[in-house]
Amino acid sequence: MAAAALLRRIPAARAPATAFMAARPISDSTAALTIKTSVPFTSHLVDPPSRDVTTTPAELVTFFRDMSLMRRMEIAADSLYKAKLIRGFCHLYDGQEAVAVGMEAAITRSDSIITAYRDHCTYLARGGDLVSAFSELMGREAGCSRGKGGSMHFYKKDANFYGGHGIVGAQVPLGCGLAFAQKYKKEDTATFALYGDGAANQGQLFEALNISALWKLPAILVCENNHYGMGTAEWRAAKSPDYYKRGDYVPGLKVDGMDVLAVKQACKFAKDHAVANGPIVLEMDTYRYHGHSMSDPGSTYRTRDEISGVRQERDPIERVRKLLFTHDLATAAELKDMEKEIRKQVDDAIAKAKESSMPDTSELFTNVYKKGFGVESFGPDRKELRASLP
Amino acid sequence: MAAAASSALHAVGAVASAKPRSAAPAVARRRSVRVAAAAKGGPGSSGRGRLVTRSAVAAKADEAAAAAGSKSGGHELLMFEALREALIEEMNLDPTVCVMGEDVGHYGGSYKVTKGLAEMFGDLRVLDTPIAENSFTGMGVGAAMKGLRPVVEGMNMGFLLLAYNQISNNCGMLHYTSGGQFKIPIVIRGPGGVGRQLGAEHSQRLESYFQSIPGLQMVACSTPYNAKGLMKAAIRSENPVVLFEHVLLYNLKEKIPDEEYICCLEEAEMVRPGEHVTILTYSRMRYHVMQAAKTLVNKGYDPEVIDIRSLKPFDLHTIGNSIKKTHRVLIVEECMRTGGIGASLRSAIIDNFWDYLDAPIMCLSSQDVPTPYAATLEDATVVQPAQIVAAVEQICQ
């Protein structure tokens, strides 16, 4: 076919890394493409969206690239942690990339996202860059939170990414507060408040959902159900594992969280619903390959067969790779090259992040308070109360 | 800028120690001028261009010196009305200010602080929440992250213990952990303290629990004048502020100025200048101290009473100047003895002003017991004026 011949015409010279990001013949096509999701949506109190997802070849290639970048970043973080360059807690997202990427594809940067501590990839999806991410992980001053937050505290205000929270479930009321502000300011945007299957049992979620439903806030509660709350399987923690039904009077949708197109469809549906009708619950059926964090081997409460089984059958990146092959959008060689470029990108970012210095000691006391009315003070046991009245 | 300000402040300090009696008006004048000049262009006042006088000083507790300086004579009101006035003024000035709490809207507030506000500003700005402190405090923090200025009310401060995680981790720390990206200009307020036989769970003093939270500011109001001023300042502050009101002080009456004014969040209030002993207190205990002061004056003592107002950070400048003058300190607080505000204040004074002390610092606090219901027992739980008199006599031996 002429189209296929067009697609197979590959530039002879390998383009440099910067030009790689520019258009290539295969990634340029914005012709609409409709693909069916792998499994149907299950819904609660609402009519589910169609299984037919509209996308474009360009978008699919972007999905592949973004998810591969995230995967590579997380694997690199694993190595850095083992090399003791990243300390403390490090929660890796590999396996769950489809949720971050699919959500981003369905919304704009004016919508807000807030999540818990497994936030590296969400930061990237919201436009964060690799150098800031790695610097933050290594506690350098070039980090996105100036090295003062760490793995669990990534934020990007200009992209409406509100973090990055360590206490399980506490981010959901914050998210409903963001939705409240959106309604208050009459923006036609929504807030996606992500939490895990473990956090789904927190009381404050139900409190916040009740208030959101009462006040009709554009809040979307997204349960990233990776089936394990640290070491506790969902059936041991939740009497009802149907997290999408937990809203009771609030509608819900269960989505295959390893299928980026299903995630995109569900998020688009949820945003339209939330802005018009108030809160909705999404349950993303997903899986994490790593343990809960780097301190957890991840194999004491589940079998290695289970992990490798999911990797073989449901891996989000492999799924998109298959789609790209099936629809003749890329060849294996091209995708391999893309992955090599990504690997180099990540390695370069790590090298650059390693060069960044540790924060200066004076940074200990910055950002405790924001200057406003009153003094610049260091607390009651400092020698000097520096009063610079505005 | 900082150097100029600090040298100006040293000059103020010099004035204060050189001529203690007349220090108060000089301080007020100097501060008002500097503040007025800056208020025209300072943060929070952009676009308003109005002169906002700020006086940290009420010269005497039983004479509204502030209102005496008011051009149009001032108006009399109760403390809860002063808080309401502040809320109404700020909500009129800034459309991002909203109030949320239990029964603040249609009911008008359990202590009438928000009476009439729902009718004035609507249901989106005065929000009745369900009984869910953890989540609505969290929602207030989230809304603040996105640019609103919520005023979150705990119907009783003690209920906010349910929201401790939100107040500590998200409210206090987010500005720091986000590397300065987000500010949380929230005000968390409510009545606390020991009331009239309200029982143990409704008589809590949370200032001792919150004082360690980094990033949080805490103030306690004690008069209608400073209640209005502190509420306005707290709303305008870019930092999260916890405003402690007291259940028994809502019906205090005072004349306050008609013009707009603000109290500085970090400044203490000189209630009664004196020579013999510095008595540091806040909130309701101020009145027990002033009652004791009457007895002490009759006995020939001259106590200097300072309402510290700012519980975090302490105004060590005012407190220090006082200690340098009197060399004796008595702290009178309503917190429990263990880990209370008095304990921290005592520690701060020892660290900073040890050389100026002629006697050990005494701290009178409430007993480390759950507040009992029986009236006599409840009275024995908190510090009474007679104990204050005895303490001063002991210190001044």
Side-chain angles (χ1 to χ4, degrees):
Chain A
M1 294 180 300
L6 202 71
L7 290 171
R8 297 234 189 283
R9 191 160 37 84
I10 303 158
R14 177 80 5 242
T18 47
F20 168 76
M21 290 305 158
R24 293 184 36 165
I26 51 163
S27 56
D28 217 12
S29 171
T30 49
L33 190 57
T34 305
I35 298 173
K36 223 182 177 69
T37 64
S38 53
V39 292
F41 298 104
T42 329
S43 69
H44 170 71
L45 293 186
V46 73
D47 290 326
S50 157
R51 278 180 72 180
D52 295 315
V53 186
T54 322
T55 178
T56 70
E59 190 177 52
L60 283 175
V61 175
T62 312
F63 284 165
F64 182 86
R65 180 168 48 224
D66 290 344
M67 289 199 285
S68 301
L69 187 67
M70 291 175 182
R71 179 69 58 92
R72 192 64 233 144
M73 176 179 74
E74 297 294 71
I75 305 290
D78 177 301
S79 311
L80 286 175
Y81 192 90
K82 288 175 176 147
K84 291 205 196 296
L85 282 163
I86 302 177
R87 314 304 302 274
F89 292 130
C90 188
H91 307 86
L92 300 177
Y93 201 69
D94 52 319
Q96 301 183 212
E97 298 91 350
V99 177
V101 170
M103 183 179 293
E104 199 60 39
I107 62 178
T108 69
R109 289 282 157 81
S110 307
D111 296 299
S112 304
I113 297 184
I114 189 169
T115 184
Y117 42 76
R118 210 175 294 279
D119 56 351
H120 309 161
C121 299
T122 319
Y123 172 72
L124 230 58
R126 285 261 98 179
D129 67 296
L130 285 170
V131 178
S132 305
F134 283 116
S135 303
E136 186 61 36
L137 287 172
M138 295 195 273
R140 309 296 169 99
E141 66 178 352
C144 48
S145 297
R146 315 251 280 259
K148 304 203 284 194
S151 162
M152 298 188 282
H153 300 286
F154 279 37
Y155 306 88
K156 198 169 192 332
K157 184 174 183 188
D158 53 12
N160 279 312
F161 176 50
Y162 293 88
H165 296 273
I167 303 299
V168 167
Q171 76 277 10
V172 177
L174 288 188
C176 294
L178 297 172
F180 169 68
Q182 286 170 325
K183 177 165 183 152
Y184 191 98
K185 290 180 172 182
K186 299 187 174 36
E187 307 172 3
D188 273 321
T189 52
T191 298
F192 287 77
L194 283 72
Y195 59 97
D197 47 291
N201 300 314
Q202 273 270 315
Q204 52 190 319
L205 259 75
F206 298 96
E207 294 178 18
L209 201 55
N210 178 39
I211 300 179
S212 304
L214 271 173
W215 297 351
K216 269 188 77 168
L217 303 180
I220 300 150
L221 269 64
V222 183
C223 178
E224 290 183 285
N225 182 7
N226 56 27
H227 307 284
Y228 295 94
M230 202 163 91
T232 306
E234 61 176 334
W235 57 271
R236 293 181 63 228
K239 188 75 178 166
S240 159
D242 289 330
Y243 299 104
Y244 69 106
K245 284 190 190 162
R246 290 279 195 93
D248 186 17
Y249 40 82
V250 170
L253 199 66
K254 184 165 172 173
V255 184
D256 178 4
M258 308 293 260
D259 179 353
V260 65
L261 293 168
V263 172
K264 176 188 165 186
Q265 184 86 320
C267 290
K268 182 150 195 338
F269 173 78
K271 177 183 169 175
D272 293 337
H273 184 279
V275 170
N277 304 324
I280 183 170
V281 178
L282 291 181
E283 180 186 337
M284 303 286 180
D285 184 354
T286 183
Y287 199 84
R288 53 166 164 81
Y289 298 140
H290 268 88
H292 164 73
S293 72
M294 288 303 299
S295 329
D296 168 30
S299 50
T300 55
Y301 47 86
R302 50 186 191 171
T303 62
R304 293 194 199 278
D305 286 340
E306 179 188 297
I307 306 172
S308 51
V310 175
R311 205 189 274 273
Q312 266 174 345
E313 280 161 47
R314 296 180 67 204
D315 184 86
I317 301 178
E318 292 312 306
R319 186 170 269 165
V320 175
R321 197 196 298 265
K322 279 199 200 90
L323 277 175
L324 291 173
F325 292 162
T326 317
H327 291 86
D328 278 333
L329 302 180
T331 63
E334 282 164 348
L335 294 183
K336 267 267 168 327
D337 285 336
M338 198 189 282
E339 285 172 319
K340 273 208 210 97
E341 297 279 356
I342 286 169
R343 205 183 175 115
K344 184 171 186 314
Q345 223 186 323
V346 168
D347 290 340
D348 287 346
I350 293 177
K352 191 138 189 288
K354 279 183 182 165
E355 283 167 28
S356 169
S357 51
M358 291 294 225
D360 190 62
T361 318
S362 64
E363 279 283 313
L364 184 62
F365 297 112
T366 59
N367 306 129
V368 182
Y369 294 101
K370 187 154 181 85
K371 276 211 64 164
F373 264 71
V375 301
E376 196 179 289
S377 131
F378 299 111
D381 58 344
R382 295 285 176 262
K383 289 286 176 200
E384 197 187 303
L385 187 80
R386 295 201 308 175
S388 49
L389 294 165
Chain B
M1 170 67 172
S6 58
S7 61
L9 220 57
H10 285 307
V12 164
V15 170
S17 48
K19 296 199 296 180
R21 293 285 172 185
S22 57
V27 166
R29 248 201 327 273
R30 210 179 274 265
R31 281 191 178 140
S32 298
V33 165
R34 212 174 39 247
V35 159
K40 278 180 176 153
S45 64
S46 56
R48 292 179 200 157
R50 252 173 298 118
L51 209 68
V52 175
T53 51
R54 280 192 353 182
S55 172
V57 175
K60 288 201 177 74
D62 52 347
E63 181 200 301
S70 160
K71 290 189 187 106
S72 47
H75 56 285
E76 211 174 46
L77 42 49
L78 305 177
M79 166 106 92
F80 75 87
E81 292 168 334
L83 290 163
R84 189 191 329 138
E85 239 181 48
L87 273 174
I88 292 174
E89 282 177 22
E90 290 303 303
M91 287 179 80
N92 275 325
L93 277 172
D94 186 345
T96 62
V97 180
C98 53
V99 178
M100 52 173 86
E102 294 155 11
D103 279 328
V104 297
H106 296 187
Y107 189 80
S110 51
Y111 292 93
K112 294 182 284 200
V113 173
T114 52
K115 188 154 190 260
L117 261 63
E119 287 82 18
M120 285 175 71
F121 297 105
D123 278 346
L124 198 60
R125 292 188 73 189
V126 183
L127 301 135
D128 279 325
T129 61
I131 306 174
E133 283 79 5
N134 195 356
S135 54
F136 72 70
T137 308
M139 285 177 71
V141 175
M145 280 171 94
K146 202 145 169 46
L148 299 190
R149 302 183 91 94
V151 178
V152 173
E153 174 179 304
M155 189 184 271
N156 186 292
M157 267 300 196
F159 306 161
L160 291 180
L161 285 173
L162 289 160
Y164 198 102
N165 174 62
Q166 297 289 353
I167 295 172
S168 168
N169 293 332
N170 295 331
C171 187
M173 300 194 196
L174 261 174
H175 187 59
Y176 191 86
T177 55
S178 66
Q181 285 180 70
F182 295 109
K183 60 180 170 97
I184 318 287
I186 195 176
V187 177
I188 297 175
R189 51 158 291 267
V194 176
R196 294 259 179 267
Q197 298 185 260
L198 298 178
E201 290 169 344
H202 291 73
S203 310
Q204 303 202 67
R205 288 127 279 168
L206 291 206
E207 54 268 24
S208 52
Y209 301 167
F210 289 160
Q211 65 178 320
S212 312
I213 299 174
L216 216 58
Q217 267 191 274
M218 308 200 311
V219 288
C221 60
S222 49
T223 67
Y225 178 81
N226 64 34
K228 179 175 177 186
L230 289 173
M231 171 75 96
K232 284 171 74 85
I235 292 175
R236 293 194 194 183
S237 171
E238 304 290 357
N239 296 312
V241 179
V242 184
L243 172 59
F244 290 93
E245 301 154 17
H246 197 287
V247 277
L248 293 181
L249 298 184
Y250 280 129
N251 290 326
L252 272 180
K253 195 183 282 194
E254 191 185 9
K255 207 175 206 184
I256 65 169
D258 291 325
E259 307 87 61
E260 192 180 23
Y261 69 92
I262 276 186
C263 292
C264 179
L265 287 174
E266 294 85 6
E267 282 177 7
E269 191 178 311
M270 178 68 69
V271 183
R272 181 191 188 283
E275 295 284 333
H276 291 163
V277 59
T278 299
I279 305 183
L280 303 171
T281 183
Y282 66 92
S283 194
R284 181 195 169 205
M285 285 297 121
R286 167 187 175 139
Y287 296 93
H288 281 205
V289 168
M290 289 312 289
Q291 204 178 325
K294 283 201 192 105
T295 314
L296 286 166
V297 164
N298 287 340
K299 291 190 173 196
Y301 295 97
D302 187 20
E304 176 154 293
V305 181
I306 294 178
D307 182 338
I308 62 174
R309 266 188 2 199
S310 176
L311 306 179
K312 184 181 167 81
F314 294 131
D315 180 4
L316 290 180
H317 180 79
T318 308
I319 293 171
N321 284 339
S322 176
I323 295 173
K324 287 173 188 171
K325 182 175 49 161
T326 66
H327 309 296
R328 287 157 210 282
V329 182
L330 170 66
I331 302 171
V332 181
E333 56 159 357
E334 206 175 309
C335 270
M336 312 234 199
R337 176 171 311 288
T338 305
I341 294 289
S344 302
L345 187 52
R346 199 187 214 163
S347 192
I349 292 172
I350 289 173
D351 280 346
N352 288 287
F353 307 115
W354 175 259
D355 291 329
Y356 296 98
L357 291 170
D358 283 349
I361 304 172
M362 259 190 115
C363 182
L364 295 177
S365 331
S366 297
Q367 302 306 317
D368 281 330
V369 296
T371 311
Y373 168 72
T376 46
L377 291 182
E378 188 184 65
D379 285 341
T381 311
V382 297
V383 180
Q384 298 296 340
Q387 293 164 296
I388 302 172
V389 171
V392 169
E393 289 178 327
Q394 187 179 333
I395 286 179
C396 288
Q397 269 169 358

